[in-house]
């Protein structure tokens, strides 16, 4: 994954995080509160946003230090983690389909693995 793609993903995921968060807070709040899933929805948005900002940081670092190949791996892991972790929580909150809850921890593991690969890549600095 290139620095340009990482930065574009960060921008896209950040914009989506703002949009999804606003839609949840305003358009879906009553439905989410009625189902008891408003906090879960906020968690999904928060983790998406944290990792969009983290992608922004590694995209900048990767642009400056392209030899740090592990940053591309970090980006892939975080992208997968956002899609699986936040995505499964969004589906749960919006549809009530609880079977996807079994894959949410896999998304969390992908996010953790991304932080570990960042640690390993940073050893090269």
């Amino acid at each position: 994954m290139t620095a340009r793609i990482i930065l574009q993903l960060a921008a896209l995921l950040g914009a989506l995080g703002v949009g999804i968060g606003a839609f949840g807070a305003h358009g879906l709040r009553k439905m989410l509160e009625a189902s008891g899933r408003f906090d879960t929805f906020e968690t999904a948005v928060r983790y998406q946003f944290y990792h969009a900002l983290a992608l922004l940081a590694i995209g900048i670092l990767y642009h400056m230090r392209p030899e740090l190949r592990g940053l591309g791996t970090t980006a892939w892991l975080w992208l997968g983690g956002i899609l699986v972790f936040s995505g499964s929580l969004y589906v749960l909150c919006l549809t009530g389909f609880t079977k996807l809850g079994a894959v949410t921890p896999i998304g969390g593991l992908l996010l953790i693995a991304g932080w570990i690969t960042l640690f390993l890549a940073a050893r090269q600095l």
Side-chain angles (χ1 to χ4, degrees):
M1 188 175 303
T2 66
R4 179 180 57 82
I5 291 172
I6 294 170
L7 291 169
Q8 288 175 322
L9 282 171
L12 179 63
L13 290 167
L16 285 171
V18 172
I20 292 168
F23 185 59
H26 301 290
L28 299 174
R29 185 177 197 109
K30 287 181 184 177
M31 180 195 78
L32 292 169
E33 285 177 340
S35 67
R37 294 199 167 104
F38 186 75
D39 289 342
T40 302
F41 192 85
E42 281 190 328
T43 297
V45 172
R46 190 171 44 254
Y47 274 71
Q48 176 178 335
F49 220 104
Y50 290 160
H51 288 87
L53 291 172
L55 277 170
L56 178 65
I58 67 162
I60 293 167
L61 180 59
Y62 199 25
H63 177 71
M64 296 169 55
R65 299 285 303 270
E67 72 276 10
L68 299 176
R69 294 279 177 214
L71 296 177
T73 302
T74 299
W76 280 113
L77 289 166
W78 283 345
L79 176 61
I82 290 168
L83 293 175
V84 175
F85 182 83
S86 293
S88 65
L89 291 179
Y90 292 142
V91 171
L92 168 69
C93 291
L94 297 174
T95 67
F97 185 68
T98 58
K99 292 186 181 186
L100 272 183
V103 301
T104 305
I106 295 168
L109 289 174
L110 290 170
L111 295 172
I112 292 167
W115 287 103
I116 292 168
T117 60
L118 175 59
F119 172 84
L120 296 172
R123 293 186 327 165
Q124 299 173 25
L125 290 174

